[in-house]
mmCIF file of all heavy atoms in Angstrom:
data_model
loop_
_atom_site.group_PDB
_atom_site.id
_atom_site.type_symbol
_atom_site.label_atom_id
_atom_site.label_comp_id
_atom_site.label_asym_id
_atom_site.label_seq_id
_atom_site.Cartn_x
_atom_site.Cartn_y
_atom_site.Cartn_z
ATOM 1 N N SER A 345 -97.816 1.253 9.557
ATOM 2 C CA SER A 345 -97.669 0.424 8.360
ATOM 3 C C SER A 345 -97.012 -0.896 8.712
ATOM 4 O O SER A 345 -97.297 -1.928 8.134
ATOM 5 C CB SER A 345 -96.839 1.158 7.302
ATOM 6 O OG SER A 345 -95.573 1.429 7.809
ATOM 7 N N LEU A 346 -96.158 -0.824 9.710
ATOM 8 C CA LEU A 346 -95.507 -2.050 10.138
ATOM 9 C C LEU A 346 -96.528 -3.038 10.675
ATOM 10 O O LEU A 346 -96.483 -4.217 10.370
ATOM 11 C CB LEU A 346 -94.473 -1.753 11.220
ATOM 12 C CG LEU A 346 -93.104 -1.301 10.690
ATOM 13 C CD1 LEU A 346 -92.200 -0.949 11.828
ATOM 14 C CD2 LEU A 346 -92.477 -2.374 9.820
ATOM 15 N N THR A 347 -97.464 -2.517 11.440
ATOM 16 C CA THR A 347 -98.463 -3.439 11.991
ATOM 17 C C THR A 347 -99.302 -4.012 10.878
ATOM 18 O O THR A 347 -99.673 -5.171 10.905
ATOM 19 C CB THR A 347 -99.379 -2.724 12.990
ATOM 20 O OG1 THR A 347 -99.912 -1.572 12.351
ATOM 21 C CG2 THR A 347 -98.590 -2.319 14.220
ATOM 22 N N ARG A 348 -99.544 -3.181 9.898
ATOM 23 C CA ARG A 348 -100.338 -3.701 8.776
ATOM 24 C C ARG A 348 -99.615 -4.849 8.124
ATOM 25 O O ARG A 348 -100.161 -5.911 7.871
ATOM 26 C CB ARG A 348 -100.593 -2.586 7.777
ATOM 27 C CG ARG A 348 -101.282 -3.132 6.526
ATOM 28 C CD ARG A 348 -101.468 -2.077 5.508
ATOM 29 N NE ARG A 348 -100.251 -1.357 5.204
ATOM 30 C CZ ARG A 348 -99.374 -1.734 4.292
ATOM 31 N NH1 ARG A 348 -99.564 -2.824 3.603
ATOM 32 N NH2 ARG A 348 -98.288 -1.018 4.084
ATOM 33 N N ASP A 349 -98.327 -4.628 7.887
ATOM 34 C CA ASP A 349 -97.548 -5.698 7.272
ATOM 35 C C ASP A 349 -97.581 -6.934 8.143
ATOM 36 O O ASP A 349 -97.659 -8.048 7.660
ATOM 37 C CB ASP A 349 -96.091 -5.243 7.091
ATOM 38 C CG ASP A 349 -96.002 -4.249 5.949
ATOM 39 O OD1 ASP A 349 -96.813 -4.390 5.023
ATOM 40 O OD2 ASP A 349 -95.162 -3.351 6.014
ATOM 41 N N GLY A 350 -97.538 -6.661 9.436
ATOM 42 C CA GLY A 350 -97.555 -7.787 10.369
ATOM 43 C C GLY A 350 -98.798 -8.641 10.195
ATOM 44 O O GLY A 350 -98.742 -9.859 10.122
ATOM 45 N N SER A 351 -99.910 -7.970 10.070
ATOM 46 C CA SER A 351 -101.151 -8.744 9.959
ATOM 47 C C SER A 351 -101.160 -9.532 8.672
ATOM 48 O O SER A 351 -101.636 -10.652 8.613
ATOM 49 C CB SER A 351 -102.360 -7.814 10.020
ATOM 50 O OG SER A 351 -102.427 -7.031 8.843
ATOM 51 N N VAL A 352 -100.590 -8.934 7.673
ATOM 52 C CA VAL A 352 -100.541 -9.666 6.408
ATOM 53 C C VAL A 352 -99.696 -10.905 6.556
ATOM 54 O O VAL A 352 -100.041 -11.978 6.093
ATOM 55 C CB VAL A 352 -99.969 -8.773 5.291
ATOM 56 C CG1 VAL A 352 -99.693 -9.587 4.060
ATOM 57 C CG2 VAL A 352 -100.963 -7.684 4.979
ATOM 58 N N GLU A 353 -98.587 -10.733 7.267
ATOM 59 C CA GLU A 353 -97.722 -11.895 7.423
ATOM 60 C C GLU A 353 -98.409 -12.970 8.228
ATOM 61 O O GLU A 353 -98.240 -14.153 7.976
ATOM 62 C CB GLU A 353 -96.426 -11.483 8.113
ATOM 63 C CG GLU A 353 -95.454 -10.918 7.113
ATOM 64 C CD GLU A 353 -94.360 -10.152 7.798
ATOM 65 O OE1 GLU A 353 -93.854 -10.656 8.805
ATOM 66 O OE2 GLU A 353 -94.017 -9.070 7.321
ATOM 67 N N ASP A 354 -99.173 -12.540 9.224
ATOM 68 C CA ASP A 354 -99.884 -13.549 10.011
ATOM 69 C C ASP A 354 -100.797 -14.352 9.123
ATOM 70 O O ASP A 354 -100.846 -15.571 9.184
ATOM 71 C CB ASP A 354 -100.727 -12.871 11.092
ATOM 72 C CG ASP A 354 -99.847 -12.369 12.208
ATOM 73 O OD1 ASP A 354 -98.715 -12.876 12.293
ATOM 74 O OD2 ASP A 354 -100.290 -11.497 12.971
ATOM 75 N N SER A 355 -101.493 -13.622 8.305
ATOM 76 C CA SER A 355 -102.430 -14.338 7.434
ATOM 77 C C SER A 355 -101.672 -15.192 6.448
ATOM 78 O O SER A 355 -102.144 -16.224 6.013
ATOM 79 C CB SER A 355 -103.332 -13.353 6.712
ATOM 80 O OG SER A 355 -102.542 -12.404 6.036
ATOM 81 N N ALA A 356 -100.508 -14.729 6.123
ATOM 82 C CA ALA A 356 -99.721 -15.503 5.159
ATOM 83 C C ALA A 356 -99.379 -16.865 5.730
ATOM 84 O O ALA A 356 -99.396 -17.863 5.028
ATOM 85 C CB ALA A 356 -98.449 -14.745 4.814
#
Side-chain angles (χ1 to χ4, degrees):
Chain A
S345 61
L346 276 176
T347 53
R348 174 183 52 88
D349 286 329
S351 70
V352 170
E353 277 163 44
D354 285 341
S355 54

